[in-house]
Short mmCIF file of all heavy atoms in Angstrom, two decimals:
data_model
loop_
_atom_site.label_atom_id
_atom_site.label_comp_id
_atom_site.label_asym_id
_atom_site.label_seq_id
_atom_site.Cartn_x
_atom_site.Cartn_y
_atom_site.Cartn_z
N PRO A 124 -9.88 14.86 6.21
CA PRO A 124 -10.50 16.13 6.60
C PRO A 124 -11.42 15.99 7.82
O PRO A 124 -11.38 16.81 8.73
CB PRO A 124 -11.28 16.55 5.35
CG PRO A 124 -10.53 15.90 4.22
CD PRO A 124 -10.03 14.60 4.77
N GLN A 125 -12.21 14.93 7.85
CA GLN A 125 -13.13 14.75 8.97
C GLN A 125 -12.39 14.39 10.25
O GLN A 125 -12.74 14.84 11.34
CB GLN A 125 -14.18 13.67 8.64
CG GLN A 125 -15.33 13.60 9.64
CD GLN A 125 -15.99 14.95 9.93
OE1 GLN A 125 -16.43 15.65 9.02
NE2 GLN A 125 -16.02 15.37 11.20
N ILE A 126 -11.31 13.59 10.10
CA ILE A 126 -10.50 13.23 11.29
C ILE A 126 -9.93 14.50 11.92
O ILE A 126 -9.99 14.70 13.14
CB ILE A 126 -9.35 12.26 10.90
CG1 ILE A 126 -9.93 10.88 10.55
CG2 ILE A 126 -8.32 12.14 12.03
CD1 ILE A 126 -8.92 9.90 9.97
N LEU A 127 -9.41 15.40 11.07
CA LEU A 127 -8.80 16.64 11.58
C LEU A 127 -9.86 17.57 12.17
O LEU A 127 -9.65 18.18 13.22
CB LEU A 127 -8.03 17.35 10.46
CG LEU A 127 -6.77 16.61 9.98
CD1 LEU A 127 -6.21 17.25 8.71
CD2 LEU A 127 -5.70 16.58 11.07
N GLN A 128 -11.01 17.67 11.49
CA GLN A 128 -12.07 18.54 12.00
C GLN A 128 -12.57 18.05 13.37
O GLN A 128 -12.76 18.83 14.30
CB GLN A 128 -13.25 18.62 11.01
CG GLN A 128 -14.34 19.61 11.42
CD GLN A 128 -13.83 21.04 11.54
OE1 GLN A 128 -13.38 21.64 10.57
NE2 GLN A 128 -13.89 21.61 12.74
N THR A 129 -12.72 16.72 13.49
CA THR A 129 -13.15 16.15 14.77
C THR A 129 -12.11 16.42 15.85
O THR A 129 -12.44 16.78 16.99
CB THR A 129 -13.37 14.62 14.63
OG1 THR A 129 -14.31 14.41 13.57
CG2 THR A 129 -13.90 13.99 15.91
N ALA A 130 -10.82 16.28 15.48
CA ALA A 130 -9.74 16.55 16.45
C ALA A 130 -9.82 18.00 16.93
O ALA A 130 -9.70 18.28 18.13
CB ALA A 130 -8.38 16.28 15.81
N LEU A 131 -10.07 18.94 15.99
CA LEU A 131 -10.17 20.36 16.37
C LEU A 131 -11.40 20.59 17.25
O LEU A 131 -11.34 21.36 18.22
CB LEU A 131 -10.26 21.24 15.11
CG LEU A 131 -9.00 21.30 14.24
CD1 LEU A 131 -9.28 22.01 12.92
CD2 LEU A 131 -7.86 22.00 14.97
N ASP A 132 -12.48 19.92 16.94
CA ASP A 132 -13.71 20.08 17.74
C ASP A 132 -13.52 19.57 19.17
O ASP A 132 -14.19 20.01 20.09
CB ASP A 132 -14.89 19.33 17.10
CG ASP A 132 -15.30 19.95 15.76
OD1 ASP A 132 -14.90 21.11 15.52
OD2 ASP A 132 -15.99 19.28 14.98
N ASN A 133 -12.61 18.60 19.32
CA ASN A 133 -12.42 17.98 20.64
C ASN A 133 -11.34 18.66 21.48
O ASN A 133 -11.02 18.19 22.57
CB ASN A 133 -12.05 16.50 20.49
CG ASN A 133 -13.25 15.69 20.04
OD1 ASN A 133 -14.39 16.16 20.11
ND2 ASN A 133 -13.01 14.48 19.54
N LEU A 134 -10.75 19.75 20.97
CA LEU A 134 -9.68 20.40 21.74
C LEU A 134 -10.24 21.01 23.02
O LEU A 134 -11.38 21.48 23.04
CB LEU A 134 -9.01 21.50 20.90
CG LEU A 134 -8.19 21.03 19.69
CD1 LEU A 134 -7.43 22.19 19.08
CD2 LEU A 134 -7.22 19.94 20.07
N PRO A 135 -9.43 21.02 24.09
CA PRO A 135 -9.91 21.56 25.36
C PRO A 135 -9.90 23.09 25.35
O PRO A 135 -8.94 23.73 25.74
CB PRO A 135 -8.88 21.02 26.37
CG PRO A 135 -7.64 20.81 25.58
CD PRO A 135 -8.05 20.51 24.17
N ILE A 136 -10.98 23.66 24.86
CA ILE A 136 -11.06 25.12 24.74
C ILE A 136 -12.20 25.61 25.63
O ILE A 136 -13.36 25.21 25.45
CB ILE A 136 -11.31 25.55 23.27
CG1 ILE A 136 -10.12 25.11 22.39
CG2 ILE A 136 -11.54 27.04 23.18
CD1 ILE A 136 -10.40 25.19 20.91
N ALA A 137 -11.86 26.48 26.59
CA ALA A 137 -12.88 26.94 27.53
C ALA A 137 -13.89 27.85 26.83
O ALA A 137 -15.09 27.73 26.99
CB ALA A 137 -12.22 27.68 28.68
N LYS A 138 -13.38 28.77 26.01
CA LYS A 138 -14.27 29.75 25.37
C LYS A 138 -13.94 29.82 23.89
O LYS A 138 -12.85 30.22 23.51
CB LYS A 138 -14.05 31.12 26.03
CG LYS A 138 -15.19 32.06 25.81
CD LYS A 138 -15.03 33.31 26.67
CE LYS A 138 -16.17 34.27 26.37
NZ LYS A 138 -15.91 35.62 26.79
N ARG A 139 -14.89 29.42 23.06
CA ARG A 139 -14.65 29.44 21.61
C ARG A 139 -15.10 30.77 21.02
O ARG A 139 -16.04 31.38 21.50
CB ARG A 139 -15.38 28.28 20.94
CG ARG A 139 -14.75 26.93 21.30
CD ARG A 139 -15.49 25.74 20.74
NE ARG A 139 -14.79 24.51 21.14
CZ ARG A 139 -13.95 23.85 20.36
NH1 ARG A 139 -13.71 24.27 19.14
NH2 ARG A 139 -13.35 22.76 20.79
N MET A 140 -14.41 31.20 19.94
CA MET A 140 -14.77 32.46 19.26
C MET A 140 -15.06 32.14 17.80
O MET A 140 -14.61 31.15 17.28
CB MET A 140 -13.57 33.43 19.29
CG MET A 140 -13.11 33.81 20.66
SD MET A 140 -11.53 34.69 20.58
CE MET A 140 -12.02 36.24 19.85
N ARG A 141 -15.80 33.04 17.17
CA ARG A 141 -15.92 32.88 15.71
C ARG A 141 -15.71 34.24 15.08
O ARG A 141 -16.02 35.28 15.65
CB ARG A 141 -17.25 32.25 15.33
CG ARG A 141 -18.47 33.08 15.59
CD ARG A 141 -19.63 32.47 14.80
NE ARG A 141 -20.76 33.37 14.83
CZ ARG A 141 -21.83 33.18 15.59
NH1 ARG A 141 -21.89 32.15 16.39
NH2 ARG A 141 -22.83 34.03 15.56
N SER A 142 -15.17 34.23 13.86
CA SER A 142 -14.95 35.50 13.18
C SER A 142 -16.24 35.89 12.46
O SER A 142 -17.09 35.05 12.17
CB SER A 142 -13.77 35.40 12.23
OG SER A 142 -13.82 34.18 11.54
N ALA A 143 -16.36 37.16 12.14
CA ALA A 143 -17.62 37.76 11.70
C ALA A 143 -18.47 36.91 10.77
O ALA A 143 -19.61 36.58 11.07
CB ALA A 143 -17.32 39.11 11.08
N ALA A 144 -17.89 36.51 9.63
CA ALA A 144 -18.72 35.86 8.61
C ALA A 144 -18.93 34.37 8.87
O ALA A 144 -19.86 33.77 8.36
CB ALA A 144 -18.06 36.05 7.25
N SER A 145 -18.05 33.79 9.67
CA SER A 145 -18.03 32.33 9.78
C SER A 145 -18.95 31.82 10.89
O SER A 145 -19.12 32.47 11.91
CB SER A 145 -16.59 31.88 10.05
OG SER A 145 -16.59 30.55 10.43
N ARG A 146 -19.51 30.63 10.67
CA ARG A 146 -20.36 30.02 11.70
C ARG A 146 -19.54 29.12 12.63
O ARG A 146 -19.95 28.86 13.74
CB ARG A 146 -21.47 29.14 11.04
CG ARG A 146 -22.38 29.84 10.10
CD ARG A 146 -23.39 30.78 10.77
NE ARG A 146 -24.10 30.16 11.87
CZ ARG A 146 -24.47 30.82 12.98
NH1 ARG A 146 -24.18 32.10 13.11
NH2 ARG A 146 -25.13 30.20 13.94
N THR A 147 -18.40 28.63 12.13
CA THR A 147 -17.63 27.70 12.97
C THR A 147 -16.81 28.49 13.99
O THR A 147 -16.35 29.59 13.73
CB THR A 147 -16.67 26.84 12.13
OG1 THR A 147 -15.99 27.70 11.26
CG2 THR A 147 -17.39 25.77 11.37
N GLU A 148 -16.61 27.84 15.13
CA GLU A 148 -15.92 28.52 16.22
C GLU A 148 -14.58 27.85 16.51
O GLU A 148 -14.41 26.67 16.27
CB GLU A 148 -16.79 28.46 17.49
CG GLU A 148 -18.12 29.15 17.33
CD GLU A 148 -19.00 29.00 18.57
OE1 GLU A 148 -19.02 27.90 19.16
OE2 GLU A 148 -19.64 29.98 18.93
N PHE A 149 -13.66 28.65 17.03
CA PHE A 149 -12.38 28.12 17.47
C PHE A 149 -11.87 29.03 18.58
O PHE A 149 -12.48 30.05 18.88
CB PHE A 149 -11.38 28.05 16.30
CG PHE A 149 -10.17 27.19 16.58
CD1 PHE A 149 -10.33 25.86 16.96
CD2 PHE A 149 -8.88 27.70 16.51
CE1 PHE A 149 -9.23 25.06 17.25
CE2 PHE A 149 -7.78 26.91 16.79
CZ PHE A 149 -7.96 25.59 17.16
N VAL A 150 -10.73 28.66 19.18
CA VAL A 150 -10.23 29.46 20.30
C VAL A 150 -9.87 30.89 19.84
O VAL A 150 -9.99 31.84 20.61
CB VAL A 150 -9.04 28.73 20.99
CG1 VAL A 150 -7.89 28.51 20.05
CG2 VAL A 150 -8.59 29.47 22.23
N ARG A 151 -9.43 31.04 18.60
CA ARG A 151 -9.17 32.36 18.00
C ARG A 151 -9.62 32.29 16.54
O ARG A 151 -9.65 31.20 15.95
CB ARG A 151 -7.66 32.70 18.05
CG ARG A 151 -7.12 33.00 19.44
CD ARG A 151 -7.62 34.34 19.98
NE ARG A 151 -7.07 34.64 21.29
CZ ARG A 151 -7.60 34.28 22.45
NH1 ARG A 151 -8.73 33.57 22.44
NH2 ARG A 151 -7.05 34.62 23.60
N PRO A 152 -9.95 33.43 15.91
CA PRO A 152 -10.38 33.39 14.50
C PRO A 152 -9.33 32.70 13.60
O PRO A 152 -8.14 32.98 13.71
CB PRO A 152 -10.52 34.87 14.14
CG PRO A 152 -10.79 35.55 15.44
CD PRO A 152 -10.03 34.78 16.48
N VAL A 153 -9.81 31.80 12.73
CA VAL A 153 -8.92 31.06 11.83
C VAL A 153 -8.71 31.88 10.56
O VAL A 153 -9.64 32.49 10.03
CB VAL A 153 -9.55 29.68 11.48
CG1 VAL A 153 -8.72 28.94 10.44
CG2 VAL A 153 -9.66 28.83 12.75
N LYS A 154 -7.45 31.92 10.06
CA LYS A 154 -7.11 32.76 8.91
C LYS A 154 -6.78 31.94 7.66
O LYS A 154 -6.97 32.40 6.55
CB LYS A 154 -5.90 33.65 9.26
CG LYS A 154 -6.21 34.70 10.32
CD LYS A 154 -7.25 35.68 9.79
CE LYS A 154 -7.57 36.79 10.75
NZ LYS A 154 -8.70 37.59 10.30
#
Side-chain angles (χ1 to χ4, degrees):
Q125 190 50 55
I126 290 172
L127 293 170
Q128 185 60 62
T129 304
L131 293 171
D132 293 343
N133 288 345
L134 292 188
I136 297 167
K138 199 170 177 199
R139 290 176 179 261
M140 300 169 70
R141 67 164 190 256
S142 42
S145 168
R146 301 287 311 145
T147 48
E148 298 176 320
F149 195 57
V150 61
R151 290 289 181 271
V153 174
K154 293 296 183 189

